[in-house]
Amino acid sequence: SLSPNVVEKVMRTNFFSFYEMTRQFAKKKISNDGAKVVVISSIASEKPDKGQAAYAASKAAIDASIISLSKELMPRRININSVRPAFVKTPLSHAMTSDHEKYHINMQPLGLIEPTDVAIMVAYLMSPAANMITGRALDIDGGGLFA
């Protein structure tokens, strides 16, 4: 079980920092009408695994807040969305998957997600093609079968 200090640190790092940056960005003197905000969340916000309670809660707080923030920012046509990747190919995920290959293949049949796939989704959400998308969390899950 995590101590309240650990949970608070995770929330400060993942959620409070996002919220404060968005709060500052939303000021008229900082951002233009029609701007876009995209935050990286996690599939764990909706489908956490054991040991992810604090992390999942911090990412779920992001996903819940973008719904409300999208309504607040709508008069200025500022879009705010999140991208929720599952396991992305990073040095950390490589260390995690080497011992649990079958587990991850069953969870993500298409394999680990390339960082460029996440970047492409962010670029799409930042583009004019996504002008009508706001307050949404978009999953990139590698064909995931997350239960």
Side-chain angles (χ1 to χ4, degrees):
S1 176
L2 296 173
S3 73
N5 289 342
V6 170
V7 174
E8 182 182 341
K9 182 178 179 184
V10 172
M11 289 299 288
R12 231 179 313 136
T13 300
N14 291 340
F15 175 65
F16 297 146
S17 61
F18 153 74
Y19 192 84
E20 182 59 18
M21 286 178 22
T22 303
R23 190 177 76 79
Q24 294 298 326
F25 179 79
K27 293 178 179 179
K28 271 197 171 280
K29 64 182 179 182
I30 306 270
S31 61
N32 295 325
D33 290 357
K36 297 183 188 279
V37 175
V38 179
V39 60
I40 304 299
S41 181
S42 170
I43 197 77
S45 71
E46 187 175 288
K47 300 169 185 172
D49 204 352
K50 62 183 178 181
Q52 291 186 314
Y55 177 76
S58 70
K59 296 299 188 170
I62 288 171
D63 292 338
S65 70
I66 64 168
I67 297 166
S68 177
L69 290 167
S70 72
K71 294 173 184 177
E72 293 172 24
L73 297 171
M74 210 171 287
R76 293 193 51 214
R77 300 195 66 80
I78 294 176
N79 297 41
I80 183 166
N81 296 291
S82 71
V83 174
R84 298 192 309 193
F87 291 102
V88 177
K89 190 183 283 185
T90 65
L92 177 61
S93 66
H94 178 72
M96 288 171 49
T97 57
S98 60
D99 292 338
H100 303 36
E101 198 68 34
K102 288 183 183 176
Y103 172 75
H104 291 288
I105 288 171
N106 290 334
M107 286 182 65
Q108 261 177 244
L110 297 176
L112 291 176
I113 299 157
E114 293 291 335
T116 53
D117 291 328
V118 177
I120 289 166
M121 177 71 83
V122 171
Y124 167 72
L125 289 170
M126 296 295 289
S127 78
N131 282 347
M132 302 307 284
I133 301 172
T134 191
R136 299 288 178 231
L138 282 75
D139 294 349
I140 301 178
D141 64 5
L145 307 171
F146 298 92

